[in-house]
Amino acid sequence: MNTKNQFLTTDLRKALGNFATGVTVVTTVSKEGQLVGVTANSFSSVSLEPPIVLWSLKKTSPSLDAFDHCGRFVINVLALTQTDLSKRFASPIPDKFSTVAYSEGIAGLPLIDNCVASFQCKTHQRIEAGDHILYLGEVQAFDHQDHPTLMFCKGKYMQGSELAVA
Ligand SMILES: Cc1cc2nc3c(=O)[nH]c(=O)nc-3n(C[C@H](O)[C@H](O)[C@H](O)COP(=O)(O)O)c2cc1C
């Protein structure tokens, strides 16, 4: 048992990693008009009426200014076949979009092709929380497709399959 002030961040990260999630790439456009995207599994639904979702970004991210300035973001939920995109947008490479197929959504923000769902959001609230910034977004448009969803659990990419529950 780990108790507060005694645990290691690495242990906490490992314990938190037992919670299975999907994987998203959150996109926006910088002040200079450059496309920006970050792999994030902190995405969560918050409210249906009005439709609000959230995700969080570490304060040290070089992409933070773009999300703050634009005031809009798109949550692109990755399909099982898109682990390459997850790895690409989790790397600090200069032009993450150079090999990525996308179309333009509201305000020219990138909607990545062949994702299982996309949520085009206007930033509703920005909250500082420890070493991360929480972005709550009001969903202005969304889309979804019936492909298998990429999952992430215990630090590994996974696929989900339905359980036969009596
Ligand atoms: C599966 C997965 C989920 C991640 N989730 C988050 C997240 O929710 N928030 C975050 O700040 N970084 C997250 N990261 C790390 C960022 O993707 C990574 O730091 C990336 O370089 C951020 O882009 P940037 O360099 O433009 O900030 C995740 C990485 C992976 C592989």
Side-chain angles (χ1 to χ4, degrees):
M1 168 73 73
N2 288 294
T3 51
K4 196 173 181 296
N5 297 329
Q6 182 213 331
F7 55 59
L8 294 171
T9 307
T10 47
D11 283 344
L12 176 61
R13 188 197 290 263
K14 198 169 174 189
L16 291 169
N18 287 286
F19 184 65
T21 66
V23 182
T24 74
V25 173
V26 191
T27 56
T28 195
V29 178
S30 75
K31 193 166 34 172
E32 297 77 27
Q34 207 180 3
L35 303 182
V36 170
V38 173
T39 300
N41 68 342
S42 51
F43 170 65
S44 180
S45 63
V46 174
S47 164
L48 288 176
E49 291 180 14
I52 294 172
V53 297
L54 76 75
W55 72 289
S56 66
L57 181 62
K58 64 183 175 216
K59 284 183 180 171
T60 53
S61 168
S63 303
L64 190 79
D65 281 352
F67 285 101
D68 282 345
H69 179 265
C70 183
R72 290 182 172 278
F73 57 85
V74 178
I75 304 283
N76 298 271
V77 181
L78 298 186
L80 188 57
T81 53
Q82 293 178 313
T83 49
D84 54 335
L85 287 181
S86 174
K87 290 177 191 165
R88 184 173 184 84
F89 284 93
S91 317
I93 51 173
D95 187 6
K96 294 182 183 178
F97 281 88
S98 60
T99 60
V100 175
Y102 64 92
S103 59
E104 288 189 4
I106 300 169
L109 267 63
L111 298 169
I112 296 175
D113 286 4
N114 301 317
C115 287
V116 287
S118 65
F119 301 93
Q120 299 185 59
C121 303
K122 192 170 188 302
T123 304
H124 166 79
Q125 221 178 326
R126 177 196 190 271
I127 300 168
E128 287 203 38
D131 54 9
H132 278 61
I133 301 293
L134 286 181
Y135 292 99
L136 286 109
E138 181 159 354
V139 179
Q140 301 204 308
F142 67 93
D143 199 7
H144 59 105
Q145 297 188 52
D146 195 20
H147 302 319
T149 300
L150 179 62
M151 302 190 74
F152 194 73
C153 188
K154 299 179 191 272
K156 293 186 169 61
Y157 294 106
M158 300 205 173
Q159 57 185 332
S161 55
E162 189 176 346
L163 292 178
V165 179

